[in-house]
Amino acid sequence: NNKAKDVTDFHFQKRQLVSVTSAKTVEHGSNGWVWSGVNLVKLHNDNVKYKRVNALKLPSPPINYRLLSSYHRDISAVNLYDLYHLIHYLDQNDINNSSETYALWHRLFTPLMAFMMALLALPFMVGSFRTVSMFSRICFGLLLGLFYYLFSQMISSLSVLVSLTSFWMAIAPIVFFLFCYLFLMIRTNK
């Protein structure tokens, strides 16, 4: 609806805070931004000036509105293109982007993980696992899928808390299940 509430704008010059503008509401129209209930604070050396204005009209800055809208949406609903640009934007502004980066790598590795899960089914079709009942195979498959989901969620939370590289955290379930596959294949060959 092109309207935001409780907006604060920090203006920097050469890494120095110069002014702070806060408003009760900011509305974007065809002629630019209209700020209502504005408090202006200007900082200059040891001097601070405060001014209160009912309304202030500012020209539209060069803002990518698609990028802004992607940031306010749930990351799971953002496409890869917007997510990549969001990460780039957060990097440029020195904002923590670990959860967004993990989401990007996780999405990129999802097809590989699907292939790994299909590969993990091979030991059950060959070797000694063929003698196991169908019910046991289905239960084991369900438990394996549940374990993958829980492991993936745990790794996701851990990557944000520990601030490890998102790439390695996203690939960790694939590596783990690759080792499981190799173990089961070696076991079936004995």
Side-chain angles (χ1 to χ4, degrees):
N1 60 5
N2 294 333
K3 195 175 202 177
K5 294 182 179 178
D6 297 322
V7 176
T8 303
D9 176 47
F10 298 94
H11 183 73
F12 291 88
Q13 283 182 348
K14 297 179 184 175
R15 296 188 173 257
Q16 185 95 19
L17 182 63
V18 177
S19 67
V20 178
T21 307
S22 61
K24 295 274 185 202
T25 60
V26 176
E27 189 169 358
H28 183 261
S30 58
N31 298 340
W33 296 90
V34 178
W35 296 54
S36 302
V38 181
N39 294 318
L40 296 164
V41 178
K42 295 203 182 236
L43 309 164
H44 184 43
N45 295 336
D46 295 332
N47 194 359
V48 177
K49 292 182 182 178
Y50 174 80
K51 185 176 181 183
R52 182 164 176 78
V53 181
N54 288 335
L56 182 65
K57 190 173 184 180
L58 298 171
S60 292
I63 294 177
N64 183 346
Y65 292 102
R66 280 186 53 201
L67 186 61
L68 285 177
S69 65
S70 70
Y71 187 73
H72 292 293
R73 288 186 291 185
D74 182 19
I75 291 177
S76 63
V78 177
N79 64 39
L80 284 176
Y81 178 80
D82 287 342
L83 187 57
Y84 173 78
H85 286 288
L86 174 62
I87 291 168
H88 182 69
Y89 169 78
L90 294 173
D91 266 346
Q92 285 180 330
N93 292 293
D94 293 327
I95 299 172
N96 183 6
N97 63 1
S98 58
S99 60
E100 290 85 359
T101 306
Y102 175 78
L104 177 72
W105 283 115
H106 183 73
R107 285 186 196 172
L108 290 174
F109 286 131
T110 297
L112 187 60
M113 190 62 213
F115 176 73
M116 179 54 59
M117 293 299 270
L119 197 63
L120 199 55
L122 285 178
F124 296 101
M125 296 191 299
V126 296
S128 64
F129 285 110
R130 287 191 320 198
T131 60
V132 177
S133 71
M134 182 64 79
F135 178 75
S136 297
R137 286 189 237 173
I138 290 173
C139 285
F140 187 75
L142 286 172
L143 287 174
L144 199 60
L146 181 64
F147 179 74
Y148 163 71
Y149 175 76
L150 293 174
F151 187 66
S152 181
Q153 294 299 313
M154 182 183 72
I155 289 289
S156 170
S157 299
L158 192 64
S159 71
V160 174
L161 287 175
V162 182
S163 71
L164 292 173
T165 307
S166 298
F167 171 82
W168 293 111
M169 295 308 256
I171 205 166
I174 297 170
V175 171
F176 176 76
F177 282 105
L178 177 65
F179 283 122
C180 288
Y181 165 74
L182 292 174
F183 171 75
L184 290 173
M185 283 305 283
I186 290 169
R187 187 173 167 207
T188 57
N189 290 336
K190 286 186 179 182

